Amino acid sequence: PVSAIAAIGDTLLTSRLVAGNTNGTVKVFDKSMKLVAEYKLENLSDSLFDTQAGDWRRHIRSVDMMDQRILIGTKGSEIFEIRAPTHSPSDGVSTDEKILNLHHGPLVQGHYKHELWGLAFPPPPLPSADKSVKDPFKDLFATTGDDGTLRIWNICTNSVVAEANLTLGGVHQMSRAVAWTRAEGAGVSVLAVGLGGDAGRRSKGGGGIKIFTFDHSYNLLCTEEGEAHKLTGWVSDLKFYDTPVDGGMFRLAAASHDNSIVIYGIDPDQFEIVSSPDKKNVITKHDAAVMHIDFSDDGHFLQSSDAAQNLTYHNLGGENFEHAMKKISSRETADFEWASWTSPLGWPVYGIWSDGPAEVDINACHRSPSGRFLAIGDAAGRLSLYNNPCPKKGAQGVCGTGHSGHVMNVRFASDTDEVLVTCGGNDRCIMRWGFSSQ
């Protein structure tokens, strides 16, 4: 069926009717409704005919035409500009007109279903890296969304350089968490993707984790393509501890909506999860869904905050989980340094909360690479910046607006305090921000 239509031109010679349908076909007619040309978007982008994603990405929602250009907007949040037919109706009908993209890929692209939460930058190069060689992952970041895609973006060109579909048991999966780390000497980086989500209705089923490798040639591959590591609740946060422990393995913490946290080991050679959840590496001290987690600097401790506004600290039981994990008091962690800070709760971020009727929910927090600043995303669609630490409640920050709804994630670039990225939940917008720290 026809899903988009536009009438172009105001003379008999220039009048055209452009129509697009739900199967990704664009047709151009003259003033007498004779077919001039027909284009199929499957010849333009394989992603538009991805059977796992269904009809969303090829479904045409809007068309327009000017001079020798046709603009096409799809339900998959992509806008393409192609060349219009160059011949007249007297030349005969061309139903196999070659489709010519006037740009390298879509003009605009993005996640296209429900909400967008997952966001991660790669960590800085390892100290042992050759500093004379340009970092292949500089200016890149990753996002995952409810549309079931993992996307790697170039922050300078606003374009997707790699993409993967997320499935579990052959079924397309939502995703609301992603983490990124580097492998020393392997020439690749590693991404963990958390599966599952709840699009405003009762969540059905659980979640899982998939591990991907991403190399300097921008090849994005799943290391365990068969099945993800399943969890009983959907994954709300993921964190790598970037220094190998546990006999040389990476640590990966997964926060779940079943109120638990699982600590995994990742093989540094095969890039696969080698430890399954058991009593030693599962934390079950929360009474609500765990939303944010952070490792300590030495990787032996973890802090976690939940949906009931509780902040909890955990001793992970040694490098090889030789001791049972246990909850510890905040007093014991008073002098700890943390590898990251993404919790909206705790002494360093106490001042980001305001009193009275103006108080809004804070969904995301991130400490800058230098440790000087805190970036906050809230339910009112604002990005706010504060000095770190910010212990006085009701502190004044610098505020920026742009999102039409709640901001669900915020991250500084890993090598500078002056570049940030935010993800809007319902608007599914990815916004790049810059500010001067002077």
Side-chain angles (χ1 to χ4, degrees), residues 12-86:
L12 291 177
L13 292 177
T14 61
S15 294
R16 292 286 189 273
L17 187 71
V18 185
N21 66 19
T22 57
N23 293 320
T25 300
V26 177
K27 295 183 179 183
V28 182
F29 301 88
D30 70 1
K31 64 182 186 301
S32 302
M33 290 304 295
K34 291 181 179 179
L35 184 63
V36 176
E38 179 177 328
Y39 303 92
K40 295 185 181 298
L41 294 188
E42 62 181 300
N43 299 323
L44 182 66
S45 172
D46 291 337
S47 67
L48 295 168
F49 270 72
D50 174 18
T51 56
Q52 290 182 327
D55 295 333
W56 280 78
R57 299 189 74 162
R58 66 175 181 253
H59 184 141
I60 296 173
R61 295 293 300 270
S62 180
V63 290
D64 199 4
M65 180 174 169
M66 178 180 289
D67 300 328
Q68 297 300 315
R69 297 170 295 166
I70 297 177
L71 206 60
I72 305 166
T74 73
K75 199 172 183 179
S77 293
E78 293 174 310
I79 298 176
F80 295 92
E81 189 176 37
I82 66 173
R83 187 179 65 184
T86 56

Side-chain angles (χ1 to χ4, degrees), residues 383-407:
L383 168 67
S384 301
L385 294 173
Y386 296 87
N387 288 319
N388 179 52
C390 184
K392 185 178 180 180
K393 193 165 187 179
Q396 295 298 311
V398 178
C399 182
T401 58
H403 289 282
S404 64
H406 55 292
V407 177

Side-chain angles (χ1 to χ4, degrees), residues 415-433:
D415 58 351
T416 178
D417 288 2
E418 299 185 354
V419 176
L420 302 96
V421 171
T422 55
C423 288
N426 288 325
D427 67 14
R428 297 188 294 277
C429 286
I430 302 169
M431 294 190 180
R432 180 184 62 188
W433 305 76

Side-chain angles (χ1 to χ4, degrees), residues 355-375:
D355 289 313
E359 183 174 358
V360 297
D361 289 336
I362 294 174
N363 299 321
C365 173
H366 194 225
R367 185 185 65 198
S368 69
S370 72
R372 292 179 59 193
F373 305 106
L374 294 165

Side-chain angles (χ1 to χ4, degrees), residues 98-136:
K98 183 178 180 181
I99 191 167
L100 177 63
N101 192 353
L102 297 179
H103 306 272
H104 296 289
L107 279 171
V108 177
Q109 57 191 316
H111 293 272
Y112 57 88
K113 199 173 184 181
H114 300 319
E115 296 196 25
L116 174 61
W117 289 27
L119 172 63
F121 277 89
L126 299 167
S128 59
D130 185 352
K131 294 180 174 55
S132 64
V133 178
K134 182 182 178 182
D135 179 12

